[in-house]
Amino acid sequence: MVNIMRRNSLSAKKNPERKKSGFVPKKSKKHVAKVLKPADDDTWVEHIVIIDEKSKKLRSYFKSEKTNKCIWDEPPTGASKIILASEK
């Protein structure tokens, strides 16, 4: 018990707020700044495909105008310009 009191009194000297509540906030590890990918300076165009005619299931893919690469369902992270099928 003596060790604990001593440790608390040392902490209180470093941080005067600890004397009042006994709580010392710590820096969060959950909300770390994420490094964002730079923009790709490309235009991605959405195309819609009929997957199943009976159930009328549709699926979209995005095609790069620069590289002709295709990605299903959503544009890639860092896409500079996106042209949706409804805008055509």
Side-chain angles (χ1 to χ4, degrees):
M1 188 71 163
V2 175
N3 259 349
I4 294 171
M5 294 296 283
R6 195 168 171 198
R7 196 182 296 161
N8 284 343
S9 64
L10 289 174
S11 296
K13 288 178 185 175
K14 291 179 184 176
N15 187 351
E17 291 296 315
R18 185 170 175 103
K19 283 183 185 178
K20 295 176 188 172
S21 67
F23 172 76
V24 178
K26 294 182 181 177
K27 195 172 189 177
S28 174
K29 294 180 183 177
K30 289 182 182 178
H31 301 286
V32 178
K34 293 181 181 178
V35 177
L36 299 176
K37 287 185 176 180
D40 62 1
D41 295 327
D42 195 358
T43 301
W44 292 83
V45 182
E46 181 183 31
H47 299 276
I48 298 176
V49 179
I50 300 172
I51 300 296
D52 185 16
E53 288 186 31
K54 289 181 182 177
S55 65
K56 297 180 182 177
K57 184 174 179 172
L58 301 175
R59 193 169 175 194
S60 63
Y61 68 91
F62 291 83
K63 185 174 181 180
S64 164
E65 288 188 343
K66 199 183 270 187
T67 63
N68 288 331
K69 182 179 179 181
C70 297
I71 297 178
W72 286 104
D73 302 321
E74 61 185 40
T77 305
S80 297
K81 185 176 179 187
I82 301 166
I83 299 175
L84 299 176
S86 61
E87 296 175 0
K88 292 181 191 176

